[in-house]
Amino acid sequence: MKRLKIKEVLTNGKTETQTLVKGWVRTKRGSKNVNFIALNDGSTIHNLQVVADVAKFDEQLLHEINTGASLAVEGTLSKSQGSGQNVELLAEKIELLGKADPDKYPIQPKKHTLEFLRENAHLRFRTNTFGAVFRIRHAMAFAIHKYFNKKGFYYLHTPIITASDAEGAGQMFRVSTLDAVNPPLTEEGKPDFSKDFFGRPTNLTVSGQLEGELGALALGEIYTFGPTFRAENSNTTRHLAEFWMIEPEMAFYDLKDNMDLAEEFLKYLISYALEYCSDDLYFLADRLKQEEKGKPQDQRSMDLVEKLQFVLNSSFVRLTYTEAIDILKNSKPFKKNKFQFPVDWGIDLQSEHERYLVEKHFKCPVILTDYPRDIKAFYMKQNDDGKTVRAMDVLFPQIGEIIGGSQREESLEKLETRMKEMNVPAEEMWWYLDTRRFGSVVHSGFGLGFERFILFVTGMGNIRDVIAFPRTPKNAEF
Amino acid sequence: MKRLKIKEVLTNGKTETQTLVKGWVRTKRGSKNVNFIALNDGSTIHNLQVVADVAKFDEQLLHEINTGASLAVEGTLSKSQGSGQNVELLAEKIELLGKADPDKYPIQPKKHTLEFLRENAHLRFRTNTFGAVFRIRHAMAFAIHKYFNKKGFYYLHTPIITASDAEGAGQMFRVSTLDAVNPPLTEEGKPDFSKDFFGRPTNLTVSGQLEGELGALALGEIYTFGPTFRAENSNTTRHLAEFWMIEPEMAFYDLKDNMDLAEEFLKYLISYALEYCSDDLYFLADRLKQEEKGKPQDQRSMDLVEKLQFVLNSSFVRLTYTEAIDILKNSKPFKKNKFQFPVDWGIDLQSEHERYLVEKHFKCPVILTDYPRDIKAFYMKQNDDGKTVRAMDVLFPQIGEIIGGSQREESLEKLETRMKEMNVPAEEMWWYLDTRRFGSVVHSGFGLGFERFILFVTGMGNIRDVIAFPRTPKNAEF
């Protein structure tokens, strides 16, 4: 007999037919005569209710059906007598596939803290919350590929191990096979990287952008979707040492085209989530409400689904950095000295400033453009004012910056001058400069931090809860 | 005026309408009166022929339209007078976006060796061959996501930086932020990894399987698609230090289900390539024929498209390792001492053996099962014979092993015993063993090396030519 997934049983299952399901026990409750077993197989957030007539089954078997145990259950699918589900499975055969000792199994049917579940990340997929989060994460990854594929972008795998530092300022992880205790040394007593695996010092990439540009300036429109790394000692709810980034890069796009793409892209993803993940989203929306019950009304989050619909239906406001600084300087919190960080033309905006613009002033997503060149990377297209570059940051409620991008400098001369000013080693980047030397064109791109976006979509508060096995300072478990 | 992509112009372009295209010059030829410019923008392998009336344009402009230069061309789309294309663009405005000095631009319109193009990997996307390869690579990546999404598998991002060694025998890259010259030392004079970023020694992953199992034993069916690493000093046409793997892992699948999935999956990808990449495939098929013109008839490859259709229409033959050894021992090359490596029960099959089975004996793809346990990993399900495990390798013509997988050992006791025998540190893998401790179920999975598969689909001969920026011993350029 062919096993059916529980999602299929709950949506298309025919009552009065013989049905086989397999899954893990979420809860068991019951009376003297009948046991109700909630079974889940990961295909949906909903459980299938298995009804077991106590008289029909071995006592020991029923005794061992505990939370976490795995079962195969065959029986007749029936219209449910109880509320909360349409159908239930009247068990005829129950096979206990794997036990879960209730004295030892960590994931018991009670409220666990997110911290506790993080320490049990190998089992947390078996909870409603993390099932929902990782199904949504999957759906968003798929939607990203679907969106770009449909638009004719090519997925490019840029290298993970790299000898270059794309941002010119990253804190990077060294990759090496040299002996850790006694590496071969040069005459100056430094490790002799010419003897290392790649014959030179190598690191984990901080961005695939520079290589992405090489692809775009031949294939037209490309995107990357891969892991990136920061060896930054930040123990916050927003930082990971290993995270996934999406970086589209497009020939013949100027900054306006870039902004249009970013807005359309984000809205596509959100509409995809609303269409394909509604069960999981409603569960998480509810979860968030429960979490925030104790908070005063004005500190509670917007309803998760409403928030997504709101962003979907907003036109993102576009203004320059300079205009944003003016707004901030005229704001109440600035005048009342409520901002923690200073506001001055030339500074990097802090999360508090970004969120003020988005949440208080415009009350919708915002795209800031034309940032001071001194706080941005060398490759951004220089404006004629000699002070600003054609950068853009997309700012979201709750998250702040969710996308950073720019039009790229296509002039070889300007790029070389800027690299010299910023001490970016041009010799090592001969291949990057070749794109400006031969058939250079206007082009643009941006980066979306996947986990920050998943935080936004799921309403989760800690970035460690939206990646399967987070890598953070002092933590590489699993 | 909105730019159209050349693919769109060639397939849906309306003649006698004003059209704007942008792209890179592949070739220019012409007479006194007219120039024919082949323009490509990466959207298709086909070029758009731009016809420029010499009298209409500045002499210097036409002079600077060389191979590799980038242009914006506006004009009237017309039915082509010449053969080889249906439409051509009669240029009215030509803007030279970026020059390409013919004395310096490496990619000239002549035959370049693949070695030369590898040294110019930053520009090789601009050739027909590599344009085709990377468009196909994109299509295959998309098809992988599409296939699994449709079947209800979830894409799981398993960690790249890891403290565990999935295969128990990998040559791994160390990841560290400790000072390379003077790392902090323990009392025993070894590097003090407790002071390293993660507080312990960490490496780049060799496989996401173990973490994938954690996902499958909660979410049901998952797959990974990410980079994996081997610090193996192999300078061959089949090895990369950094490559991409797809690893599905499924609860409730036994070995037969696993084989069925692998066969269906590979056939889906091949049929997708035939449906969506035919222009690029026919180009590469033709390229292969040209390459092999000098070879004697019997050493030439099968036509690329025919090869793909052949695999698509074959039923993969399934037999045990033990049966395969018998066949090999009764084979002509064995009897005539033509195999380079020995054939004996217990040995690991070599590529020559695998290819004999596939190409000479069965003349179709082959799945071998039930390998000797001593040549396979600790986690494979043990057969009752005490000698073999429920492993499977899918063998393809030209490539040999393209997929390796197994049913996994679900018995905690057997797994722990085997780990002890093979010196796999069970304490460090408490989280892996927990899946067998709590709600263990029959499950299976496999791994597909993405680049090996792309070699097969594109007919390319060197694995460095199917990944954008190959990482191999002494080579981390770009």
Side-chain angles (χ1 to χ4, degrees):
Chain A
M1 185 166 202
K2 195 178 164 261
R3 169 182 81 104
L4 292 184
K5 288 194 190 181
I6 287 174
K7 185 179 182 180
E8 210 176 326
V9 173
L10 292 179
T11 50
N12 298 318
K14 283 186 190 127
T15 52
E16 307 316 317
T17 57
Q18 198 69 6
T19 302
L20 171 65
V21 295
K22 296 180 181 179
W24 292 269
V25 176
R26 283 294 171 83
T27 57
K28 185 181 70 171
R29 62 192 174 79
S31 62
K32 225 168 127 181
N33 299 324
V34 66
N35 278 191
F36 297 101
I37 302 159
L39 201 70
N40 189 288
D41 65 2
S43 63
T44 160
I45 192 143
H46 302 299
N47 303 322
L48 176 64
Q49 174 156 288
V50 172
V51 183
D53 188 342
V54 168
K56 274 196 198 160
F57 296 95
D58 181 65
E59 196 181 337
Q60 180 62 21
L61 172 74
L62 291 180
H63 179 70
E64 289 182 339
I65 296 179
N66 297 301
T67 295
S70 45
L71 303 180
V73 183
E74 207 183 311
T76 313
L77 196 67
S78 302
K79 246 188 125 54
S80 179
Q81 309 295 313
S83 65
Q85 64 272 328
N86 293 321
V87 292
E88 58 192 18
L89 188 64
L90 305 182
E92 283 147 28
K93 268 195 274 182
I94 299 181
E95 188 188 351
L96 181 65
L97 304 173
K99 300 179 196 180
D101 183 341
D103 294 332
K104 291 182 184 156
Y105 184 56
I107 313 294
Q108 289 303 316
K110 59 169 194 176
K111 194 170 162 46
H112 294 292
T113 64
L114 294 174
E115 290 74 16
F116 174 82
L117 292 172
R118 232 168 272 146
E119 285 159 20
N120 289 281
H122 62 310
L123 297 173
R124 66 179 175 171
F125 304 108
R126 299 184 183 188
T127 65
N128 281 332
T129 297
F130 287 95
V133 166
F134 287 101
R135 279 188 295 269
I136 291 172
R137 188 180 162 113
H138 159 77
M140 291 297 88
F142 184 68
I144 288 164
H145 288 295
K146 197 171 170 191
Y147 175 80
F148 284 125
N149 181 66
K150 203 167 174 190
K151 287 187 86 81
F153 284 56
Y154 304 112
Y155 182 25
L156 190 69
H157 287 129
T158 49
I160 311 301
I161 299 173
T162 169
S164 80
D165 172 5
E167 299 289 333
Q171 292 168 280
M172 297 195 292
F173 289 103
R174 196 172 61 254
V175 173
S176 178
T177 56
L178 290 185
D179 190 290
V181 187
N182 296 308
L185 300 178
T186 61
E187 285 182 9
E188 295 85 43
K190 291 187 176 171
D192 186 356
F193 288 109
S194 74
K195 300 217 168 68
D196 207 345
F197 189 91
F198 295 108
R200 54 159 93 181
T202 48
N203 304 295
L204 291 178
T205 185
V206 297
S207 162
Q209 180 201 314
L210 301 190
E211 289 91 352
E213 287 185 51
L214 307 178
L217 294 179
L219 298 168
E221 295 161 333
I222 65 92
Y223 68 107
T224 73
F225 187 170
T228 47
F229 305 85
R230 293 278 189 295
E232 204 178 324
N233 200 4
S234 299
N235 252 311
T236 79
T237 58
R238 294 159 47 95
H239 288 87
L240 291 166
E242 172 181 316
F243 56 100
W244 288 67
M245 280 243 283
I246 298 99
E247 299 181 281
E249 194 70 35
M250 302 77 65
F252 313 118
Y253 277 53
D254 63 16
L255 190 67
K256 167 145 190 327
D257 301 325
N258 204 19
M259 288 191 282
D260 290 346
L261 184 78
E263 182 168 344
E264 183 190 80
F265 174 54
L266 290 169
K267 287 179 173 174
Y268 177 85
L269 298 183
I270 290 170
S271 72
Y272 190 97
L274 288 166
E275 184 172 350
Y276 292 96
C277 308
S278 59
D279 284 0
D280 289 321
L281 282 178
Y282 280 110
F283 172 83
L284 291 175
D286 214 51
R287 180 194 162 274
L288 197 59
K289 277 208 188 73
Q290 297 294 327
E291 288 281 305
E292 296 188 341
K293 248 187 346 204
K295 284 190 181 177
Q297 192 76 41
D298 67 334
Q299 285 173 35
R300 293 184 200 166
S301 310
M302 197 173 177
D303 174 82
L304 180 62
V305 176
E306 277 174 32
K307 180 186 81 176
L308 296 177
Q309 280 161 342
F310 170 74
V311 168
L312 187 57
N313 297 320
S314 306
S315 272
F316 296 8
V317 172
R318 301 175 183 191
L319 68 157
T320 65
Y321 167 92
T322 303
E323 289 165 335
I325 290 287
D326 283 347
I327 289 170
L328 289 169
K329 288 206 155 185
N330 286 308
S331 70
K332 263 193 205 161
F334 180 79
K335 288 180 177 167
K336 290 187 173 174
N337 254 321
K338 289 280 172 67
F339 285 134
Q340 198 190 334
F341 294 91
V343 176
D344 256 316
W345 199 98
I347 58 140
D348 217 351
L349 294 182
Q350 299 294 322
S351 190
E352 59 177 350
H353 308 135
E354 295 173 343
R355 294 186 62 174
Y356 172 81
L357 291 168
V358 170
E359 294 168 20
K360 305 292 178 190
H361 188 83
F362 289 110
K363 296 191 171 61
C364 76
V366 167
I367 311 182
L368 294 190
T369 64
D370 302 285
Y371 280 73
R373 68 174 200 167
D374 290 338
I375 58 170
K376 289 290 182 183
F378 71 91
Y379 49 70
M380 295 193 179
K381 184 172 173 64
Q382 296 159 42
N383 281 317
D384 291 337
D385 63 13
K387 294 189 303 181
T388 59
V389 288
R390 304 241 74 192
M392 64 166 204
D393 281 2
V394 181
L395 313 180
F396 256 34
Q398 177 198 355
I399 301 289
E401 183 196 327
I402 197 158
I403 275 181
S406 73
Q407 188 173 328
R408 317 305 188 189
E409 182 55 74
E410 81 271 18
S411 152
L412 178 64
E413 200 191 327
K414 285 189 190 170
L415 189 58
E416 284 184 325
T417 305
R418 190 69 188 140
M419 286 169 85
K420 208 167 283 172
E421 285 169 6
M422 293 176 75
N423 295 314
V424 180
E427 333 58 74
E428 286 174 26
M429 298 180 68
W430 61 275
W431 46 272
Y432 183 68
L433 292 170
D434 266 7
T435 55
R436 276 60 170 182
R437 204 168 272 132
F438 306 118
S440 186
V441 302
V442 165
H443 64 291
S444 299
F446 62 79
L448 171 69
F450 190 49
E451 283 76 19
R452 290 218 180 153
F453 180 70
I454 301 297
L455 274 185
F456 179 76
V457 174
T458 60
M460 300 296 285
N462 189 324
I463 202 160
R464 297 165 200 219
D465 295 333
V466 297
I467 189 166
F469 303 102
R471 297 302 184 235
T472 52
K474 303 294 171 205
N475 177 32
E477 192 64 89
F478 310 110
Chain B
M1 185 168 203
K2 195 177 163 263
R3 169 182 81 104
L4 292 184
K5 287 194 189 180
I6 287 172
K7 184 178 183 180
E8 211 177 325
V9 172
L10 292 178
T11 50
N12 298 317
K14 284 187 190 125
T15 52
E16 308 315 317
T17 57
Q18 197 69 6
T19 302
L20 171 65
V21 295
K22 296 178 181 180
W24 292 270
V25 175
R26 284 293 172 83
T27 57
K28 186 183 70 173
R29 61 189 175 81
S31 63
K32 225 168 126 180
N33 299 324
V34 67
N35 278 191
F36 297 101
I37 303 158
L39 201 70
N40 189 289
D41 65 2
S43 62
T44 161
I45 192 144
H46 302 299
N47 302 321
L48 176 64
Q49 174 155 291
V50 173
V51 184
D53 188 341
V54 168
K56 273 195 198 162
F57 296 95
D58 181 65
E59 195 181 337
Q60 181 61 22
L61 172 75
L62 291 180
H63 178 71
E64 289 180 340
I65 296 178
N66 297 301
T67 295
S70 45
L71 304 181
V73 183
E74 208 182 311
T76 311
L77 195 67
S78 301
K79 247 188 126 51
S80 179
Q81 310 294 312
S83 63
Q85 63 273 326
N86 293 321
V87 291
E88 59 192 17
L89 188 63
L90 306 181
E92 282 148 29
K93 266 196 273 181
I94 300 181
E95 189 188 349
L96 180 66
L97 303 173
K99 300 180 196 179
D101 182 340
D103 295 331
K104 293 181 184 156
Y105 185 57
I107 314 292
Q108 289 303 317
K110 58 167 194 179
K111 195 170 160 48
H112 294 291
T113 65
L114 294 174
E115 291 74 15
F116 175 82
L117 292 173
R118 232 168 272 146
E119 286 159 19
N120 288 282
H122 62 310
L123 298 173
R124 67 179 174 169
F125 306 106
R126 299 184 184 188
T127 66
N128 280 333
T129 297
F130 287 94
V133 165
F134 287 101
R135 278 187 296 270
I136 291 172
R137 186 180 163 114
H138 159 77
M140 291 297 88
F142 183 68
I144 287 164
H145 289 296
K146 197 172 169 190
Y147 175 80
F148 285 124
N149 181 66
K150 202 167 175 190
K151 287 187 86 81
F153 284 55
Y154 304 112
Y155 182 27
L156 190 68
H157 287 129
T158 49
I160 310 302
I161 298 173
T162 169
S164 81
D165 173 5
E167 298 291 333
Q171 291 168 282
M172 297 194 293
F173 289 102
R174 197 172 62 255
V175 173
S176 177
T177 57
L178 291 185
D179 190 290
V181 188
N182 296 307
L185 299 178
T186 61
E187 284 181 10
E188 295 84 44
K190 291 186 177 172
D192 187 356
F193 288 110
S194 73
K195 299 217 169 67
D196 207 345
F197 189 90
F198 295 108
R200 54 158 92 183
T202 48
N203 303 295
L204 292 179
T205 185
V206 298
S207 161
Q209 179 200 315
L210 301 190
E211 290 91 354
E213 287 186 50
L214 307 178
L217 294 178
L219 298 168
E221 295 161 332
I222 65 92
Y223 68 106
T224 73
F225 187 170
T228 48
F229 305 86
R230 293 279 190 293
E232 204 179 324
N233 201 3
S234 300
N235 252 312
T236 80
T237 57
R238 293 160 48 96
H239 289 87
L240 290 167
E242 173 181 315
F243 56 100
W244 287 68
M245 281 244 282
I246 298 100
E247 297 181 284
E249 193 70 35
M250 302 77 64
F252 313 117
Y253 278 52
D254 64 15
L255 191 66
K256 166 146 193 326
D257 301 325
N258 204 18
M259 288 192 281
D260 291 346
L261 183 79
E263 183 168 343
E264 184 190 82
F265 174 54
L266 290 169
K267 287 179 173 175
Y268 177 84
L269 298 184
I270 290 169
S271 72
Y272 190 97
L274 288 167
E275 184 172 350
Y276 291 95
C277 308
S278 59
D279 284 1
D280 288 322
L281 282 177
Y282 281 109
F283 172 84
L284 291 174
D286 213 53
R287 181 194 161 274
L288 196 59
K289 277 208 188 73
Q290 296 295 325
E291 289 280 305
E292 295 188 342
K293 249 190 339 205
K295 285 190 180 177
Q297 192 76 38
D298 67 334
Q299 286 173 35
R300 293 184 200 167
S301 310
M302 197 172 177
D303 174 81
L304 180 63
V305 175
E306 277 173 32
K307 181 187 79 177
L308 297 177
Q309 279 160 342
F310 170 73
V311 168
L312 188 58
N313 297 322
S314 306
S315 270
F316 296 7
V317 171
R318 300 173 184 194
L319 68 158
T320 66
Y321 167 91
T322 303
E323 290 165 334
I325 290 288
D326 283 347
I327 290 170
L328 288 169
K329 287 204 156 185
N330 285 308
S331 70
K332 263 194 205 160
F334 179 79
K335 289 180 175 165
K336 291 188 173 172
N337 255 322
K338 289 282 171 66
F339 285 136
Q340 197 190 335
F341 294 92
V343 177
D344 255 317
W345 199 97
I347 59 140
D348 217 350
L349 295 182
Q350 299 295 321
S351 190
E352 59 176 351
H353 308 136
E354 296 173 342
R355 294 186 62 175
Y356 172 80
L357 292 167
V358 170
E359 293 169 20
K360 306 289 177 191
H361 188 83
F362 290 110
K363 295 191 171 62
C364 75
V366 167
I367 311 183
L368 294 189
T369 64
D370 302 285
Y371 281 72
R373 67 175 200 166
D374 290 339
I375 58 171
K376 290 290 184 183
F378 70 91
Y379 47 70
M380 295 193 180
K381 184 171 173 66
Q382 297 159 42
N383 280 318
D384 292 338
D385 63 12
K387 292 190 304 182
T388 59
V389 287
R390 304 241 74 193
M392 64 165 205
D393 281 2
V394 181
L395 312 181
F396 257 33
Q398 176 198 358
I399 301 290
E401 182 197 326
I402 198 158
I403 274 181
S406 74
Q407 187 172 330
R408 317 307 188 188
E409 182 54 76
E410 82 270 19
S411 153
L412 178 64
E413 201 190 327
K414 285 190 192 170
L415 189 59
E416 283 183 326
T417 305
R418 191 69 188 140
M419 285 169 84
K420 208 168 283 172
E421 284 169 7
M422 294 177 74
N423 295 315
V424 181
E427 333 58 75
E428 286 175 28
M429 298 179 68
W430 61 275
W431 45 272
Y432 183 68
L433 291 170
D434 265 6
T435 54
R436 274 61 171 182
R437 204 168 272 129
F438 307 118
S440 187
V441 302
V442 166
H443 64 292
S444 299
F446 62 78
L448 171 69
F450 190 50
E451 284 75 19
R452 290 218 181 152
F453 180 70
I454 301 297
L455 274 184
F456 179 76
V457 175
T458 59
M460 299 296 286
N462 190 323
I463 203 159
R464 297 165 199 219
D465 295 333
V466 297
I467 190 167
F469 303 101
R471 296 303 185 234
T472 53
K474 304 294 170 205
N475 177 31
E477 191 65 88
F478 310 110

